[in-house]
Amino acid sequence: MLTFVKLGGSLITDKRESEHFHAATMQRAAKEIATAFQRRTELHLLLGHGSGSFGHVAARKYGTVESVHSPADWRGFAEVATVARRLNNLVLESLHEAGLPVFAVQPSASAQCSDGRLDYLETAPIEQLLAHDLIPLVYGDVALDSVRGGTIISTETIFFYLAERLNPTQIFLLGEVEGVYDSAGAIIPRITPGNLNEIAGALGGSHGTDVTGGMASKVRSMVDLAERVKGLHIHIFGGTQPGMLEAALLGDIPGTLIC
């Protein structure tokens, strides 16, 4: 069973304060993943994390997602890549300290985009890592773009690309909220292509700075992904409550299901 898990930027950083890492939250998440990974031997994992107050703040400063053309733009492009990697190193260390066989994969090393669309990402190393029971770790990153010069690729974009090629059974998207809420503030238990338009008005943005869109854009992209990958279940739930991620990996999954 292949499961993708994204630790959202809102969960592991404070997106309203530049480069503020929630170390204790990340360490707890890493321990929960490690416990589930040890208990459930058939579980194969691919992990990802958002850029939060690291990459998003820098990307907003330089407008990296829109275009990279001038010398100043390219210096900003490099800065965004550096701060995104800085957060990745912090996440990697937390996972390693928890005893997980994790291997970081830098998306920008192979990603090629066209006007913001991810056209290519090398998957062979990720497939080989999974074949040897290692856990690939990807993250929101910069990418070269044939039209814009450069842009940003979110973790969801990377997951979308990989899911169509690796066929995971489930994707977990963890943030600071407990699921997708309706206009009355109740968690929507299930979203499908059939009811997306009905609940679309209740889908808001995200707290803090996020250059890749908020909850609405993420939900729409995941509904599209669920239509493309047969049998895929996508779960959006909170990661702030201790034990929630471990329970989900062991089969007791809360929040909103997208299928």
Side-chain angles (χ1 to χ4, degrees):
M1 175 187 292
L2 177 58
T3 299
F4 290 5
V5 179
K6 185 213 172 179
L7 303 172
S10 64
L11 178 65
I12 62 173
T13 78
D14 184 340
K15 293 172 75 172
R16 293 155 289 200
E17 184 178 342
S18 181
E19 298 193 31
H20 185 105
F21 180 53
H22 287 160
T25 300
M26 184 61 235
Q27 289 164 3
R28 174 173 54 77
K31 290 177 182 178
E32 292 186 20
I33 294 169
T35 299
F37 190 69
Q38 291 168 0
R39 289 182 57 185
R40 199 171 185 183
T41 56
E42 77 277 15
L43 186 63
H44 295 275
L45 294 175
L46 183 146
L47 304 180
H49 65 83
S51 287
S53 64
F54 285 70
H56 285 295
V57 172
R60 176 78 68 179
K61 177 181 177 181
Y62 295 105
T64 306
V65 70
E66 287 88 11
S67 66
V68 180
H69 294 300
S70 72
D73 290 344
W74 282 108
R75 289 184 66 87
F77 181 83
E79 181 178 331
V80 174
T82 298
V83 295
R85 188 56 183 261
R86 187 176 299 145
L87 176 59
N88 180 248
N89 286 334
L90 292 170
V91 173
L92 179 65
E93 285 299 323
S94 296
L95 295 167
H96 175 73
E97 289 170 5
L100 287 162
V102 63
F103 192 103
V105 177
Q106 180 183 342
S108 56
S110 66
Q112 294 287 333
C113 292
S114 176
D115 203 16
R117 184 185 68 249
L118 180 58
D119 288 336
Y120 178 79
L121 185 72
E122 181 59 65
T123 61
I126 293 174
E127 293 177 74
Q128 291 180 48
L129 293 169
L130 289 168
H132 292 289
D133 296 323
L134 297 184
I135 301 175
L137 173 66
V138 298
Y139 59 98
D141 200 0
V142 299
L144 296 173
D145 190 298
S146 61
V147 176
R148 302 181 187 182
T151 191
I152 301 291
I153 46 173
S154 69
T155 313
E156 282 84 5
T157 296
I158 295 167
F159 273 16
F160 193 114
Y161 185 92
L162 293 176
E164 292 189 272
R165 291 153 180 83
L166 303 181
N167 296 306
T169 302
Q170 52 192 7
I171 295 177
F172 294 167
L173 302 177
L174 284 76
E176 61 183 346
V177 296
E178 302 306 317
V180 180
Y181 297 102
D182 64 17
S183 56
I187 294 175
I188 302 169
R190 187 182 183 97
I191 300 174
T192 68
N195 72 355
L196 177 61
N197 288 335
E198 295 176 32
I199 58 92
L203 304 181
S206 63
H207 298 292
T209 302
D210 189 339
V211 298
T212 59
M215 182 64 79
S217 65
K218 290 175 173 56
V219 167
R220 290 183 182 279
S221 67
M222 289 301 157
V223 169
D224 185 38
L225 178 60
E227 289 188 286
R228 291 173 180 267
V229 180
K230 185 178 180 180
L232 176 64
H233 284 188
I234 304 164
H235 300 269
I236 298 176
F237 60 96
T240 59
Q241 296 299 316
M244 194 75 77
L245 175 54
E246 180 182 337
L249 288 169
L250 293 175
D252 184 10
I253 310 171
T256 299
L257 166 64
I258 299 174
C259 61

